[in-house]
Amino acid sequence: MKTLLSLTFFSLTFSLGAKTLDLNKVSSGSNWIMHMDFDSMRNSDVGMFLEDSFENNPEIKSKIDEMVSTYGIDLRKASNFTMYGSGEKHKGIGILEGGVNASNVEKFADSKDFISETKLGKQSVFSVEKGRHPMTYTALKKGKMIFGPNHDYISEGILMAKGKGTGASDHPLLTSLSTLLPNPGFMFFANLEGAGNVVELDPRAKFMTEHIDSCGLTIGEIGGTLKVVGIMQVKSQESSVQIENMIKGGFAMMEMRKADDRRISDLILGHAVNRTSNTVRVEMDLSIEVIIDHLEKQMKKAVGKFSKEVKLRKFPNKKYTYQ
């Protein structure tokens, strides 16, 4: 549960206040899309807390500056990040806009034996052979970075990032997602029916496509709370009733858990499940105050660990005691 809470806080922190998704920068034929906007996130309560913490804590700032200098990516200056794909496993395009120093990205790649460089026209493209799934990326001069599994995806990503590709078509549920909250944050959309027509899905995913046409998730900050809204377009009313009851059962179990776990009780302020015909909508309200409090505690731990690493490097033979 501790790990789950930490991951929830971390993911939601970087999901606040995303601007409207620009489908002109998403390839046609994409059946899943994820989008977040860092510019708006900085204006949220959590974003302002993090920014102040980074700037006012020399140890954290030093660590971040070191990482920026090494890797050439500064998320403090990033504007937005969008990922999308057709549904093929481990294949998609990621576009990071802002906060990218192309020169430092290239220097880091040149310093690593497991990263190889090739050319796509005049553009340097780097391939990472380390790990289970190879990754290819390139840094553009205007502070953008493109990620993908191979050169074909990188080429498509470059076109989309420059606004020269064929954009994706809108989808009714995607349109609904953009209007569910006044200031939507993190947004995720999946056209399960479309993905099932592109690739052969595993049994679990295939079961979902047999019952769910499309689904999505959006997050936004509203008056001191973080609202999470999920929506599913189900293929039949019978299946929609079953899904509704299953989610309500999950919330009932969560309510039982809240009685014994104050952290969950303080974090989750409310929840609801509503069904209209074949559409199921799920909502959760989370406490911004609790999220900030948790982040503050985690940052103090991170600073302690970083200080320990620095002291051990300077005085390797001395013993230290840390809480």
Side-chain angles (χ1 to χ4, degrees):
M1 180 56 67
K2 182 178 180 181
T3 301
L4 176 61
L5 285 173
S6 297
L7 290 174
T8 300
F9 284 127
F10 181 81
S11 61
L12 294 180
T13 297
F14 291 95
S15 304
L16 298 171
K19 297 176 183 177
T20 304
L21 172 68
D22 184 0
L23 290 177
N24 290 322
K25 294 184 179 180
V26 177
S27 298
S28 61
S30 295
N31 289 313
W32 64 267
I33 305 168
M34 185 206 75
H35 174 75
M36 62 178 72
D37 192 294
F38 297 107
D39 284 334
S40 296
M41 184 273 288
R42 295 183 186 97
N43 294 320
S44 69
D45 290 340
V46 177
M48 288 187 286
F49 162 76
L50 285 176
E51 194 167 51
D52 289 342
S53 299
F54 293 156
E55 293 302 318
N56 296 327
N57 192 305
E59 292 176 314
I60 294 180
K61 188 175 185 301
S62 174
K63 186 68 173 178
I64 293 175
D65 290 341
E66 180 184 335
M67 294 175 65
V68 171
S69 177
T70 301
Y71 301 110
I73 300 176
D74 189 351
L75 291 181
R76 295 170 299 180
K77 297 180 181 179
S79 178
N80 60 77
F81 181 60
T82 305
M83 289 187 66
Y84 50 84
S86 65
E88 289 188 80
K89 196 172 184 179
H90 306 304
K91 290 186 177 181
I93 294 173
I95 301 177
L96 175 65
E97 298 191 61
V100 178
N101 184 317
S103 178
N104 285 1
V105 169
E106 292 185 14
K107 287 179 182 177
F108 174 77
D110 291 339
S111 69
K112 301 299 178 181
D113 294 336
F114 58 85
I115 301 178
S116 59
E117 179 182 357
T118 54
K119 291 289 185 179
L120 189 62
K122 296 181 179 181
Q123 186 69 36
S124 294
V125 177
F126 305 99
S127 299
V128 181
E129 305 300 334
K130 194 175 182 179
R132 295 177 58 187
H133 308 292
M135 182 185 74
T136 306
Y137 64 91
T138 187
L140 306 182
K141 291 183 178 179
K142 293 186 177 181
K144 298 180 181 182
M145 197 163 183
I146 316 299
F147 303 87
N150 55 47
H151 281 62
D152 290 339
Y153 281 77
I154 293 297
S155 179
E156 174 75 8
I158 292 174
L159 287 176
M160 301 310 302
K162 292 181 177 180
K164 298 181 180 180
T166 303
S169 301
D170 203 355
H171 186 281
L173 190 137
L174 185 56
T175 301
S176 297
L177 276 177
S178 64
T179 60
L180 287 176
L181 299 175
N183 296 296
F186 172 91
M187 184 180 292
F188 176 80
F189 164 76
N191 179 357
L192 299 179
E193 179 73 18
N197 293 330
V198 173
V199 296
E200 184 175 348
L201 303 173
D202 60 46
R204 182 181 299 179
K206 188 175 182 180
F207 174 80
M208 290 182 64
T209 61
E210 290 175 352
H211 299 277
I212 302 174
D213 177 80
S214 54
C215 61
L217 180 74
T218 184
I219 304 173
E221 183 179 309
I222 302 177
T225 64
L226 194 66
K227 183 174 281 292
V228 182
V229 183
I231 186 169
M232 287 177 281
Q233 186 64 46
V234 187
K235 292 185 177 181
S236 70
Q237 188 163 340
E238 179 182 1
S239 294
S240 68
V241 171
Q242 293 175 350
I243 291 173
E244 177 191 17
N245 291 334
M246 182 174 62
I247 297 173
K248 285 182 175 179
F251 277 146
M253 293 179 64
M254 184 183 69
E255 285 296 323
M256 294 174 61
R257 185 65 184 270
K258 283 172 65 176
D260 299 322
D261 194 328
R262 184 175 177 180
R263 293 173 302 172
I264 299 178
S265 179
D266 291 343
L267 172 64
I268 302 174
L269 302 177
H271 56 79
V273 183
N274 296 294
R275 181 179 60 83
T276 303
S277 185
N278 293 4
T279 302
V280 179
R281 174 170 166 166
V282 184
E283 298 183 23
M284 289 185 68
D285 292 330
L286 307 179
S287 169
I288 292 290
E289 183 180 355
V290 173
I291 292 173
I292 290 178
D293 181 65
H294 180 83
L295 287 171
E296 190 171 19
K297 291 177 181 177
Q298 294 302 313
M299 290 176 69
K300 287 180 179 178
K301 291 181 181 179
V303 170
K305 291 180 180 178
F306 176 62
S307 299
K308 179 180 178 181
E309 291 173 0
V310 172
K311 290 178 179 178
L312 286 175
R313 286 199 295 266
K314 290 183 177 179
F315 310 103
N317 297 321
K318 186 173 182 179
K319 294 184 178 180
Y320 296 93
T321 301
Y322 298 90
Q323 300 297 326

